[in-house]
């Protein structure tokens, strides 16, 4: 589930098998890891099922709490921040 995905991404961010040569492949891998981390964090935060976002632990749509836009940002300090903007 989402907890397993978050743990795997955290483990992948740790020290690797040695120095990495800077270049497009390394930048792509870093960007994919960053986006994956943000997606998993946002998915874990949304406690409902909506569209293609489906959760076994929250199987129903919940417009009262979750009809809106989630924003998840990674700050320069490496800290994730979340925001929510309701949609009328």
């Amino acid at each position: 589930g989402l907890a397993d995905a978050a743990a795997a991404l955290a483990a992948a961010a740790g020290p690797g098998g040695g120095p990495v040569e800077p270049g497009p492949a390394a930048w792509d891998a870093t960007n994919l890891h960053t986006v994956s981390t943000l997606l998993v964090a946002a998915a874990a935060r949304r406690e409902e099922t909506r569209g293609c976002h489906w959760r076994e632990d929250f199987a129903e749509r919940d417009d009262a709490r979750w009809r809106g836009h989630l924003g998840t940002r990674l700050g320069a300090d490496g800290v994730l921040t979340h925001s929510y903007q309701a949609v009328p």
Side-chain angles (χ1 to χ4, degrees):
L2 292 170
D4 292 337
L9 287 164
V20 175
E21 184 68 31
W27 302 328
D28 285 347
T30 298
N31 290 338
L32 287 169
H33 183 269
T34 300
V35 170
S36 298
T37 300
L38 293 173
L39 283 171
V40 168
R45 188 162 173 82
R46 185 177 287 276
E47 296 177 339
E48 69 159 357
T49 289
R50 180 172 300 266
C52 66
H53 173 80
W54 186 82
R55 292 201 43 183
E56 280 185 5
D57 51 347
F58 297 97
E60 301 298 321
R61 182 171 157 164
D62 185 357
D63 284 344
R65 290 186 56 216
W66 294 107
R67 187 166 187 257
H69 302 288
L70 283 175
T72 303
R73 299 184 190 276
L74 179 63
D77 57 359
V79 175
L80 290 176
T81 58
H82 304 279
S83 63
Y84 175 77
Q85 181 180 6
V87 173

